[in-house]
Amino acid sequence: MKLHEYQAKELFAAVGIPIPFGVTARTPPEAAQAYEQVRRHGGGGAGFICNVKAQLHAGGRGKVGGVVAVRSAEEVSREAARLLGTRLVTKQTGPEGLPVSAVLVDERTPLASEWYFALTIDRFHARPMVLASRLGGMDIEEVAATQPAAIHREPVDLDRGLSNEAVNRVAGVFGCDAAQAKTVSAIARAMWRLFDTRDCSLIEINPLGVSRTDRRVLAVDAKVTLDDNALFRHPELAAMRDESQEHPLELQAGKIGISYVGLDGTIGCLVNGAGLAMATNDIIKLSGGSPANFLDVGGGANVEQVKNAFAIILSDPRVKAVLVNIFGGIMRCDWIAEGLLKATEQLEVTIPIVVRLQGTNVEEGRRLLAGAKRSLDSPVVSGVARDRPERVPRLGPRPRSGQVPSEVEARAERVEGRLNLISVDELAEAARKVVELAR
């Protein structure tokens, strides 16, 4: 869970990390009042300079007009009116941008130096990692890409925390004088305390700036990401969540316990297990397609969750075909089949679905799909498909008059003409088929 800059700075202040004085506003009049508060706090007169900073969960604001310098309450009000209620597009938001519902008005400090300082998780070695560079500021992504040696990496021992030696090496990277080194040491220890006690996955200060006037070291910007899985321990942090900043489908999936990440492709994926989901996305790419999502329905999902997962996938207008890839362990293949049929009963399913089932109750799952197949005019292929669906005739007769269809067959009958199921046994063939259908 990401926090806004103003929220992250509240956490910083609580552990003693120095920050510029600032006030958050949600309307232009509030922004004008915030300017006066900041001006009085800084002892400034007419023409006192402040920042107006759009609050959103993305970097790169300064390059697209999301951070501006102002010199009067009227100018603050005008800039706040320009930003509030809009969607700001940066290189990190995608073309749709993110909504701006608050601005931070804070002191503008002329900087002699801009450093980069962060604590994150090194997932390759399963441990925290300090990142530090003298080349902080708006171009840190370019620095990381073109000058990786300019970013110092310092592993952190979970039991001992940040050692004195590690802190001294970081201060050496920054080229601090004695007074600044003392401040950097205090900031580093406060960052670790915050990281450890609040279950953070990222704390980033960019820039960690040195004031040109009084040589103070300040966290000019702040970014904090929290571990979603630990939020039950921190209800006060969970209350800071801004759902407007999250992908609507990812938010919906999270609320029902499904892991979903939206991507840019046209092939929806429903898979159980994160590793299998990654492998499924890979094989789609290798087959010439592009996945529209990462979706792990989980090992213990029930029929209702499977139906909801289909609803989320089908809510993406870019999806042209769906690949269901299930290896039944805890998850039962018949539950997947039931959920799929329930989804087609309740949703407007107009795109083909390729299904590959293996594992627990696979025969029952295939029987359910075959039952649906016998009741549908829409083409269904069992086994490895060899023809395009539109050329496959209806397989099997409708129930004869007076014959009572099964519950699954009756359900399928109600969605006649909408369901296009293709059951394939081998994953490679399933991937090739769904890529072909999505074109």
Side-chain angles (χ1 to χ4, degrees), residues 270 297 301-312 314 324 326 331-347 349 353 355 357 364-365 368-369 407-408 411 415 419 421:
L270 189 151
V297 76
N302 54 33
V303 171
E304 191 67 18
Q305 281 179 294
V306 173
K307 185 206 78 173
N308 290 335
F310 270 105
I312 289 169
L314 296 174
V324 179
I326 298 297
M331 168 60 68
R332 291 167 35 179
C333 293
D334 56 326
W335 287 350
I336 292 290
E338 273 288 332
L340 190 156
L341 295 174
K342 192 171 184 180
T344 59
E345 172 190 4
Q346 299 180 9
L347 305 171
V349 182
I353 302 171
V355 184
L357 302 177
E364 176 65 11
L368 293 175
L369 297 181
E407 178 185 351
V408 171
R411 177 185 303 151
V415 296
L419 185 59
L421 283 176

Side-chain angles (χ1 to χ4, degrees), residues 124-175:
F124 291 102
H125 299 95
R127 63 190 179 191
M129 176 77 74
V130 170
L131 303 176
S133 176
R134 296 187 69 176
L135 304 179
M138 290 191 293
D139 296 319
I140 188 62
E141 290 87 357
E142 184 178 343
V143 171
T146 61
Q147 304 178 60
I151 298 179
H152 175 75
R153 292 165 171 80
E154 189 73 47
V156 181
D157 185 276
L158 276 170
D159 295 324
R160 294 187 302 160
L162 273 171
S163 66
N164 291 333
E165 295 78 12
V167 171
N168 290 338
R169 284 192 290 269
V170 170
V173 168
F174 294 150

